[in-house]
Amino acid sequence: MTEPLLVVDGAGKRYGTRWACRGVNFQLHSGEMLAVVGESGSGKTTLLRLLAARLPCDEGRVLYRMRAESAAESGTLTDIAALSAARLRWLARTDWGYVEQHAHDGLRLNVSGGANVGERLMALGVRHYGRLRGEALEWMRRVELDTARIDDLPATYSGGMQRRLQIARNLVTRPRLVLMDEPTTGLDVSVQARLLDLLRKLTEELHLAAIIVTHDLGVARLLAQRTIVMRDGRVVEAGLTDRVLDDPQHPYTQLLVSSVLQP
């Protein structure tokens, strides 16, 4: 078994006297996708923001395996709370991807689609215009966007196209960890299906570790090998996705599954 890329050890976040999430534990390996499911207010997005260091843990810790100095070495598992702000910014621009629930929050709307994709490469020191544009074109093709739209502003794109552009923007640096917050929200069924197929294909091709927050159990079943179920900030059930959804043990999970199955 390979060493985990991410270890979440009793992570929690409190707002006043209320715990938005508490006592969350799991490990994630490269090439694995984990779904976090639950109703609105269950703590899913708060957890995702803890993992991305957008919020500090009030208890517990989040450990991330930094890149090794050479291919023969294993990277160091590091508490992200111990990293400097500059180091966290570098990780957020290169090694991590974060797909926002609302695509316009994850895009720069005042620059072209191509610039949105190429901009992330500049954090890696790429300055050659031809390479930046070439990579942008390649990634627009990979996410099935019309490359003729490379110079158009994202505001002129449809909702589904904006989601694809955001995915391209996040994956262009070949991150090892991608966090996705309700990436199919607000899309019609046919657009959702194409986007999910794309996400599954890209995560497999790039051997990404990914966490997807969703209220849609169908999304979890299609994409994730493992699923955790959250309620009131706590993980109430966890396991292989097929087991959790086909044979739920916790009454809350049973309620979620039965509500989906009802006509």
Coordinates of all heavy atoms in Angstrom, one line a residue, residues 17-101:
T17 N -19.9 28.9 19.9 CA -20.1 27.6 20.6 C -20.5 26.5 19.7 O -20.6 25.4 20.2 CB -21.1 27.8 21.7 OG1 -22.4 28.2 21.1 CG2 -20.7 28.9 22.7
R18 N -20.6 26.8 18.4 CA -21.1 25.8 17.5 C -20.0 25.2 16.7 O -19.1 25.9 16.1 CB -22.2 26.3 16.5 CG -22.6 25.4 15.5 CD -23.6 26.0 14.5 NE -23.9 25.2 13.4 CZ -23.2 25.2 12.2 NH1 -22.2 26.0 12.1 NH2 -23.6 24.4 11.3
W19 N -19.9 23.9 16.6 CA -18.9 23.2 15.8 C -19.5 23.0 14.4 O -20.4 22.2 14.2 CB -18.5 21.9 16.4 CG -17.6 22.0 17.6 CD1 -18.0 22.1 18.9 CD2 -16.2 22.2 17.7 NE1 -17.0 22.3 19.8 CE2 -15.8 22.3 19.0 CE3 -15.2 22.2 16.7 CZ2 -14.5 22.5 19.4 CZ3 -13.9 22.3 17.1 CH2 -13.5 22.5 18.4
A20 N -18.8 23.6 13.4 CA -19.3 23.4 12.0 C -18.9 22.0 11.5 O -19.6 21.4 10.7 CB -18.7 24.5 11.1
C21 N -17.7 21.5 12.0 CA -17.3 20.1 11.8 C -16.4 19.8 12.9 O -15.7 20.6 13.5 CB -16.7 19.9 10.4 SG -15.1 20.6 10.1
R22 N -16.4 18.5 13.3 CA -15.6 18.1 14.4 C -15.2 16.6 14.3 O -16.0 15.8 13.9 CB -16.3 18.4 15.7 CG -15.5 18.2 17.0 CD -16.2 18.7 18.2 NE -15.2 18.9 19.3 CZ -15.5 19.2 20.5 NH1 -16.8 19.3 20.9 NH2 -14.6 19.3 21.4
G23 N -14.0 16.3 14.7 CA -13.5 14.9 14.9 C -13.5 14.2 13.5 O -13.7 13.0 13.5
V24 N -13.1 14.9 12.5 CA -13.1 14.2 11.1 C -11.7 13.5 10.9 O -10.7 14.1 11.1 CB -13.3 15.2 10.0 CG1 -13.3 14.5 8.6 CG2 -14.7 15.9 10.2
N25 N -11.8 12.2 10.6 CA -10.6 11.4 10.3 C -10.7 10.7 9.0 O -11.7 10.0 8.8 CB -10.4 10.4 11.5 CG -10.2 11.0 12.8 OD1 -9.1 11.5 13.1 ND2 -11.2 11.1 13.6
F26 N -9.7 10.8 8.2 CA -9.6 9.9 7.0 C -8.2 10.1 6.4 O -7.5 11.0 6.7 CB -10.7 10.1 6.0 CG -10.7 11.5 5.3 CD1 -9.9 11.7 4.2 CD2 -11.5 12.5 5.8 CE1 -9.9 13.0 3.6 CE2 -11.5 13.7 5.2 CZ -10.7 14.0 4.1
Q27 N -7.9 9.1 5.5 CA -6.7 9.2 4.7 C -7.1 9.2 3.2 O -8.1 8.6 2.9 CB -5.7 8.1 5.0 CG -5.2 8.1 6.4 CD -4.1 7.1 6.7 OE1 -3.7 6.3 5.8 NE2 -3.6 7.0 7.9
L28 N -6.2 9.8 2.4 CA -6.5 9.8 1.0 C -5.2 9.5 0.2 O -4.1 10.1 0.6 CB -7.0 11.2 0.5 CG -7.5 11.3 -0.9 CD1 -8.8 10.5 -1.2 CD2 -7.7 12.8 -1.3
H29 N -5.2 8.6 -0.7 CA -4.0 8.2 -1.5 C -4.1 8.8 -2.9 O -5.2 9.1 -3.4 CB -3.9 6.7 -1.5 CG -3.6 6.1 -0.2 ND1 -4.6 5.9 0.7 CD2 -2.5 5.6 0.3 CE1 -4.1 5.3 1.8 NE2 -2.8 5.1 1.6
S30 N -3.0 8.9 -3.6 CA -2.9 9.3 -5.0 C -3.8 8.4 -5.8 O -3.8 7.1 -5.6 CB -1.5 9.3 -5.5 OG -0.7 10.3 -4.8
G31 N -4.5 8.9 -6.8 CA -5.4 8.1 -7.6 C -6.7 7.8 -7.1 O -7.5 7.1 -7.7
E32 N -7.0 8.3 -5.9 CA -8.3 7.9 -5.2 C -9.2 9.1 -5.1 O -8.7 10.3 -4.9 CB -7.9 7.4 -3.8 CG -9.2 7.0 -3.0 CD -8.8 6.5 -1.6 OE1 -7.7 6.9 -1.1 OE2 -9.5 5.7 -1.0
M33 N -10.5 8.9 -5.3 CA -11.5 10.0 -5.1 C -12.4 9.6 -4.0 O -12.9 8.5 -3.9 CB -12.3 10.2 -6.4 CG -13.2 11.4 -6.2 SD -14.2 11.8 -7.7 CE -13.0 12.6 -8.7
L34 N -12.5 10.6 -3.1 CA -13.4 10.5 -1.9 C -14.6 11.4 -2.1 O -14.4 12.6 -2.4 CB -12.6 10.8 -0.7 CG -13.4 10.9 0.6 CD1 -13.7 9.5 1.1 CD2 -12.6 11.6 1.7
A35 N -15.8 10.9 -1.9 CA -17.0 11.8 -1.8 C -17.3 12.1 -0.4 O -17.3 11.3 0.5 CB -18.1 11.1 -2.5
V36 N -17.7 13.4 -0.2 CA -18.2 13.8 1.1 C -19.7 14.2 0.9 O -19.9 15.2 0.2 CB -17.4 15.0 1.7 CG1 -17.9 15.4 3.1 CG2 -15.9 14.6 1.8
V37 N -20.6 13.5 1.5 CA -22.0 13.7 1.2 C -22.8 14.1 2.5 O -22.3 13.8 3.6 CB -22.7 12.5 0.5 CG1 -22.0 12.1 -0.7 CG2 -22.8 11.3 1.5
G38 N -23.9 14.7 2.3 CA -24.7 15.2 3.4 C -25.6 16.3 3.0 O -25.4 16.9 1.9
E39 N -26.6 16.6 3.8 CA -27.5 17.8 3.5 C -26.7 19.1 3.7 O -25.7 19.2 4.3 CB -28.7 17.7 4.5 CG -29.5 16.5 4.3 CD -30.7 16.4 5.3 OE1 -30.4 16.4 6.5 OE2 -31.8 16.3 4.9
S40 N -27.4 20.1 3.2 CA -26.9 21.5 3.4 C -26.7 21.8 4.9 O -27.6 21.4 5.7 CB -27.8 22.5 2.8 OG -27.4 23.8 3.1
G41 N -25.6 22.3 5.3 CA -25.3 22.6 6.7 C -24.7 21.5 7.5 O -24.5 21.6 8.7
S42 N -24.3 20.4 6.8 CA -23.8 19.2 7.5 C -22.3 19.4 7.8 O -21.7 18.6 8.5 CB -24.0 18.0 6.6 OG -23.3 18.1 5.4
G43 N -21.6 20.4 7.2 CA -20.2 20.7 7.5 C -19.3 20.3 6.3 O -18.1 20.4 6.4
K44 N -19.9 19.9 5.2 CA -19.1 19.5 4.0 C -18.1 20.5 3.5 O -16.9 20.3 3.3 CB -20.0 19.0 2.9 CG -21.0 18.0 3.2 CD -21.8 17.5 2.0 CE -22.5 18.6 1.2 NZ -23.5 19.3 1.9
T45 N -18.7 21.7 3.2 CA -17.8 22.8 2.7 C -16.8 23.3 3.7 O -15.7 23.6 3.3 CB -18.7 23.9 2.1 OG1 -19.5 23.4 1.0 CG2 -17.9 25.1 1.6
T46 N -17.2 23.4 4.9 CA -16.3 23.8 6.0 C -15.1 22.9 6.0 O -13.9 23.3 6.1 CB -17.0 23.8 7.3 OG1 -18.0 24.8 7.3 CG2 -16.0 24.2 8.4
L47 N -15.4 21.6 5.9 CA -14.3 20.6 5.9 C -13.4 20.8 4.7 O -12.1 20.8 4.8 CB -14.9 19.2 5.8 CG -13.9 18.0 5.6 CD1 -12.8 18.0 6.8 CD2 -14.6 16.7 5.5
L48 N -14.0 21.0 3.5 CA -13.2 21.3 2.3 C -12.3 22.5 2.5 O -11.1 22.5 2.1 CB -14.1 21.4 1.1 CG -13.5 21.1 -0.2 CD1 -13.2 19.6 -0.3 CD2 -14.5 21.5 -1.4
R49 N -12.8 23.5 3.1 CA -12.0 24.7 3.3 C -10.9 24.5 4.3 O -9.8 25.1 4.2 CB -12.9 25.9 3.7 CG -13.8 26.3 2.6 CD -14.8 27.4 3.0 NE -14.1 28.6 3.4 CZ -13.8 29.6 2.5 NH1 -14.0 29.3 1.2 NH2 -13.2 30.7 2.8
L50 N -11.1 23.6 5.3 CA -10.0 23.3 6.2 C -8.9 22.5 5.5 O -7.7 22.8 5.7 CB -10.5 22.4 7.3 CG -11.4 23.0 8.4 CD1 -11.9 21.9 9.4 CD2 -10.7 24.1 9.1
L51 N -9.3 21.6 4.6 CA -8.3 20.9 3.8 C -7.5 21.8 2.9 O -6.3 21.5 2.6 CB -9.0 19.8 3.0 CG -9.9 18.8 3.8 CD1 -10.4 17.7 2.8 CD2 -9.1 18.2 4.9
A52 N -8.1 22.8 2.4 CA -7.4 23.8 1.5 C -6.6 24.9 2.3 O -6.1 25.8 1.6 CB -8.4 24.4 0.5
A53 N -6.6 24.8 3.6 CA -6.0 25.8 4.4 C -6.6 27.2 4.3 O -6.0 28.2 4.5 CB -4.5 25.9 4.2
R54 N -7.9 27.2 3.8 CA -8.6 28.5 3.7 C -9.2 28.9 5.1 O -9.6 30.0 5.3 CB -9.7 28.4 2.7 CG -9.2 28.2 1.3 CD -10.3 28.2 0.2 NE -9.8 28.2 -1.1 CZ -10.5 28.4 -2.2 NH1 -11.8 28.7 -2.1 NH2 -9.9 28.4 -3.4
L55 N -9.3 27.9 5.9 CA -9.7 28.1 7.3 C -8.7 27.3 8.2 O -8.2 26.2 7.8 CB -11.1 27.5 7.6 CG -12.3 28.2 6.9 CD1 -13.6 27.4 7.2 CD2 -12.5 29.6 7.5
P56 N -8.4 27.8 9.4 CA -7.5 27.1 10.3 C -8.3 26.1 11.1 O -9.5 26.3 11.5 CB -7.0 28.2 11.2 CG -8.1 29.2 11.3 CD -8.7 29.2 9.9
C57 N -7.7 24.9 11.5 CA -8.4 24.0 12.3 C -8.4 24.5 13.8 O -7.4 25.1 14.2 CB -7.6 22.6 12.3 SG -7.8 21.7 10.8
D58 N -9.5 24.4 14.5 CA -9.6 24.7 15.9 C -9.3 23.5 16.7 O -9.0 23.7 17.9 CB -11.0 25.2 16.2 CG -11.3 26.6 15.6 OD1 -10.3 27.4 15.6 OD2 -12.4 26.9 15.2
E59 N -9.3 22.3 16.2 CA -8.8 21.2 16.8 C -8.4 20.2 15.7 O -8.8 20.3 14.6 CB -9.8 20.5 17.7 CG -11.0 19.9 17.0 CD -11.9 19.1 18.0 OE1 -11.8 19.4 19.2 OE2 -12.8 18.4 17.5
G60 N -7.5 19.2 16.1 CA -7.0 18.3 15.1 C -6.0 18.9 14.2 O -5.6 20.0 14.3
R61 N -5.8 18.2 13.1 CA -4.8 18.7 12.1 C -5.0 18.1 10.7 O -5.7 17.0 10.6 CB -3.4 18.4 12.6 CG -3.1 16.9 12.9 CD -1.8 16.7 13.5 NE -1.6 15.2 13.7 CZ -0.4 14.7 13.8 NH1 0.7 15.4 13.8 NH2 -0.3 13.4 14.0
V62 N -4.5 18.7 9.7 CA -4.5 18.2 8.4 C -3.0 18.1 7.9 O -2.3 19.0 7.9 CB -5.2 19.2 7.4 CG1 -5.1 18.7 6.0 CG2 -6.7 19.3 7.9
L63 N -2.6 16.9 7.5 CA -1.3 16.6 7.1 C -1.2 16.3 5.6 O -2.1 15.5 5.1 CB -0.7 15.3 7.8 CG -0.8 15.4 9.4 CD1 -0.4 14.0 10.0 CD2 0.0 16.5 10.0
Y64 N -0.3 16.9 4.9 CA -0.1 16.8 3.5 C 1.3 16.3 3.2 O 2.3 16.8 3.8 CB -0.4 18.1 2.8 CG -0.3 18.0 1.3 CD1 -1.2 17.3 0.5 CD2 0.8 18.7 0.6 CE1 -1.1 17.3 -0.9 CE2 0.9 18.6 -0.7 CZ 0.0 17.9 -1.5 OH 0.1 17.9 -2.9
R65 N 1.4 15.4 2.3 CA 2.7 14.9 1.9 C 3.4 15.8 0.8 O 2.9 15.8 -0.3 CB 2.7 13.4 1.4 CG 4.0 12.7 1.3 CD 3.9 11.3 1.0 NE 3.2 10.6 2.1 CZ 3.7 10.3 3.3 NH1 4.9 10.6 3.6 NH2 2.9 9.6 4.2
M66 N 4.4 16.5 1.2 CA 5.0 17.4 0.3 C 5.8 16.7 -0.7 O 6.1 15.5 -0.6 CB 6.0 18.3 1.1 CG 5.3 19.1 2.3 SD 4.0 20.2 1.8 CE 5.0 21.5 1.1
R67 N 6.1 17.3 -1.8 CA 6.8 16.7 -2.9 C 8.2 16.3 -2.5 O 8.9 17.1 -1.7 CB 6.9 17.6 -4.1 CG 5.6 17.7 -4.9 CD 5.8 18.5 -6.2 NE 4.6 18.8 -6.9 CZ 4.1 18.0 -7.8 NH1 4.8 16.9 -8.1 NH2 3.0 18.3 -8.4
A68 N 8.7 15.1 -2.9 CA 10.0 14.7 -2.5 C 11.0 15.4 -3.3 O 10.8 16.0 -4.4 CB 10.1 13.2 -2.8
E69 N 12.3 15.5 -2.8 CA 13.3 16.2 -3.5 C 13.8 15.4 -4.8 O 14.3 15.9 -5.7 CB 14.6 16.3 -2.6 CG 14.3 17.3 -1.4 CD 14.0 18.7 -1.9 OE1 14.6 19.2 -2.9 OE2 13.1 19.3 -1.3
S70 N 13.6 14.1 -4.8 CA 13.9 13.2 -5.9 C 12.9 12.1 -6.0 O 12.1 11.8 -5.1 CB 15.3 12.6 -5.8 OG 15.3 11.6 -4.8
A71 N 12.8 11.5 -7.2 CA 11.9 10.4 -7.5 C 12.1 9.2 -6.6 O 11.2 8.5 -6.3 CB 11.9 10.0 -8.9
A72 N 13.3 9.1 -6.1 CA 13.6 7.9 -5.2 C 13.2 8.1 -3.8 O 13.2 7.2 -3.0 CB 15.1 7.6 -5.3
E73 N 12.8 9.3 -3.4 CA 12.4 9.6 -2.0 C 10.9 9.7 -1.8 O 10.2 9.9 -2.8 CB 13.1 10.9 -1.6 CG 14.6 11.0 -1.6 CD 15.1 12.4 -1.3 OE1 14.4 13.3 -1.6 OE2 16.2 12.4 -0.8
S74 N 10.5 9.6 -0.6 CA 9.1 9.8 -0.2 C 9.0 11.2 0.4 O 9.9 11.6 1.2 CB 8.6 8.8 0.8 OG 7.3 9.1 1.2
G75 N 8.0 12.0 0.0 CA 7.9 13.3 0.6 C 7.5 13.3 2.0 O 7.1 12.2 2.6
T76 N 7.7 14.4 2.7 CA 7.4 14.5 4.1 C 6.0 14.8 4.4 O 5.4 15.7 3.8 CB 8.3 15.6 4.8 OG1 9.7 15.3 4.5 CG2 8.1 15.6 6.3
L77 N 5.4 14.1 5.3 CA 4.0 14.3 5.7 C 4.0 15.5 6.7 O 4.6 15.4 7.8 CB 3.4 13.1 6.4 CG 1.9 13.0 6.4 CD1 1.3 13.0 5.0 CD2 1.5 11.7 7.1
T78 N 3.4 16.7 6.3 CA 3.6 17.9 7.0 C 2.2 18.5 7.5 O 1.3 18.5 6.7 CB 4.3 18.9 6.1 OG1 5.6 18.4 5.7 CG2 4.5 20.3 6.9
D79 N 2.2 19.0 8.7 CA 1.0 19.7 9.2 C 0.9 21.0 8.4 O 1.8 21.8 8.5 CB 1.1 19.9 10.7 CG -0.2 20.5 11.3 OD1 -1.0 21.0 10.6 OD2 -0.3 20.4 12.5
I80 N -0.2 21.2 7.7 CA -0.3 22.4 6.9 C -0.4 23.7 7.7 O 0.0 24.8 7.3 CB -1.5 22.4 5.9 CG1 -2.8 22.3 6.6 CG2 -1.3 21.2 4.9 CD1 -4.0 22.4 5.7
A81 N -0.7 23.5 9.0 CA -0.8 24.7 9.9 C 0.6 25.2 10.2 O 0.8 26.3 10.6 CB -1.5 24.3 11.2
A82 N 1.6 24.4 10.0 CA 3.0 24.8 10.2 C 3.7 25.5 9.0 O 4.8 26.0 9.1 CB 3.9 23.5 10.6
L83 N 3.0 25.5 7.9 CA 3.5 26.1 6.7 C 3.3 27.6 6.7 O 2.3 28.1 7.2 CB 2.9 25.5 5.5 CG 3.1 24.0 5.3 CD1 2.3 23.5 4.1 CD2 4.6 23.6 5.0
S84 N 4.3 28.3 6.1 CA 4.2 29.7 6.0 C 3.1 30.1 5.0 O 2.6 29.3 4.2 CB 5.5 30.3 5.5 OG 5.8 29.9 4.2
A85 N 2.6 31.4 5.1 CA 1.6 31.8 4.2 C 2.1 31.8 2.7 O 1.3 31.4 1.8 CB 1.2 33.3 4.5
A86 N 3.3 32.1 2.5 CA 3.9 32.0 1.2 C 3.9 30.6 0.6 O 3.6 30.4 -0.5 CB 5.3 32.6 1.2
R87 N 4.3 29.6 1.5 CA 4.3 28.2 1.1 C 2.9 27.7 0.8 O 2.7 27.0 -0.2 CB 4.9 27.4 2.2 CG 5.2 25.9 1.8 CD 6.2 25.8 0.7 NE 6.6 24.4 0.5 CZ 7.3 24.0 -0.6 NH1 7.6 24.9 -1.6 NH2 7.7 22.8 -0.7
L88 N 1.9 28.1 1.5 CA 0.5 27.7 1.3 C 0.0 28.3 0.0 O -0.7 27.7 -0.8 CB -0.4 28.2 2.5 CG -0.2 27.4 3.7 CD1 -1.0 28.0 4.9 CD2 -0.7 25.9 3.5
R89 N 0.4 29.6 -0.3 CA 0.0 30.2 -1.6 C 0.6 29.4 -2.7 O -0.1 29.2 -3.8 CB 0.4 31.7 -1.6 CG -0.5 32.6 -0.8 CD -0.2 34.1 -1.1 NE 1.2 34.5 -0.9 CZ 1.6 34.9 0.2 NH1 0.8 35.1 1.3 NH2 2.9 35.3 0.3
W90 N 1.8 29.0 -2.6 CA 2.5 28.3 -3.7 C 1.8 26.9 -3.9 O 1.5 26.6 -5.0 CB 3.9 28.0 -3.3 CG 4.7 27.4 -4.4 CD1 5.3 28.0 -5.5 CD2 4.9 26.0 -4.6 NE1 5.9 27.0 -6.3 CE2 5.7 25.8 -5.8 CE3 4.6 24.8 -3.8 CZ2 6.1 24.5 -6.2 CZ3 4.9 23.6 -4.3 CH2 5.7 23.4 -5.5
L91 N 1.4 26.2 -2.8 CA 0.7 25.0 -2.9 C -0.6 25.2 -3.6 O -1.1 24.4 -4.5 CB 0.5 24.3 -1.6 CG 1.7 23.7 -0.9 CD1 1.4 23.3 0.5 CD2 2.2 22.5 -1.7
A92 N -1.4 26.2 -3.2 CA -2.7 26.5 -3.8 C -2.6 26.8 -5.3 O -3.6 26.6 -6.0 CB -3.3 27.7 -3.0
R93 N -1.5 27.4 -5.7 CA -1.3 27.7 -7.1 C -0.8 26.6 -8.0 O -0.8 26.7 -9.2 CB -0.4 29.0 -7.2 CG -1.0 30.2 -6.6 CD 0.0 31.3 -6.6 NE -0.5 32.6 -6.0 CZ 0.2 33.6 -5.6 NH1 1.5 33.6 -5.8 NH2 -0.3 34.7 -5.1
T94 N -0.2 25.6 -7.3 CA 0.5 24.6 -8.1 C 0.1 23.2 -7.8 O -0.4 22.4 -8.6 CB 2.0 24.7 -7.9 OG1 2.3 24.6 -6.5 CG2 2.5 26.1 -8.3
D95 N 0.2 22.8 -6.5 CA 0.1 21.4 -6.2 C -1.4 21.0 -5.8 O -1.7 19.8 -5.8 CB 1.0 21.0 -5.0 CG 1.7 19.7 -5.1 OD1 2.0 19.3 -6.3 OD2 2.0 19.1 -4.1
W96 N -2.2 22.0 -5.5 CA -3.6 21.8 -5.2 C -4.5 22.5 -6.2 O -4.1 23.5 -6.8 CB -3.9 22.5 -3.8 CG -3.2 21.9 -2.6 CD1 -2.5 20.7 -2.6 CD2 -3.1 22.5 -1.3 NE1 -1.9 20.6 -1.3 CE2 -2.3 21.6 -0.5 CE3 -3.6 23.6 -0.8 CZ2 -2.0 21.9 0.8 CZ3 -3.3 23.9 0.6 CH2 -2.5 23.1 1.3
G97 N -5.6 21.9 -6.4 CA -6.7 22.5 -7.2 C -7.9 22.7 -6.4 O -8.2 21.8 -5.5
Y98 N -8.7 23.7 -6.6 CA -9.9 23.9 -5.8 C -11.0 24.4 -6.8 O -10.9 25.5 -7.4 CB -9.7 25.0 -4.8 CG -10.8 25.0 -3.7 CD1 -10.5 24.5 -2.4 CD2 -12.1 25.6 -3.9 CE1 -11.5 24.5 -1.4 CE2 -13.0 25.6 -3.0 CZ -12.8 25.1 -1.7 OH -13.7 25.1 -0.7
V99 N -11.9 23.5 -7.1 CA -13.0 23.8 -8.0 C -14.2 24.4 -7.2 O -14.8 23.6 -6.4 CB -13.4 22.6 -8.8 CG1 -14.6 22.9 -9.7 CG2 -12.3 22.0 -9.6
E100 N -14.5 25.6 -7.4 CA -15.5 26.3 -6.6 C -16.9 25.8 -7.0 O -17.2 25.5 -8.2 CB -15.4 27.8 -6.8 CG -14.1 28.4 -6.4 CD -14.0 28.7 -4.9 OE1 -15.0 28.4 -4.2 OE2 -13.0 29.3 -4.5
Q101 N -17.9 25.9 -6.1 CA -19.3 25.6 -6.4 C -19.8 26.5 -7.5 O -20.5 26.0 -8.4 CB -20.1 25.7 -5.1 CG -21.6 25.4 -5.3 CD -22.4 25.4 -4.1 OE1 -21.8 25.6 -3.0 NE2 -23.7 25.3 -4.2

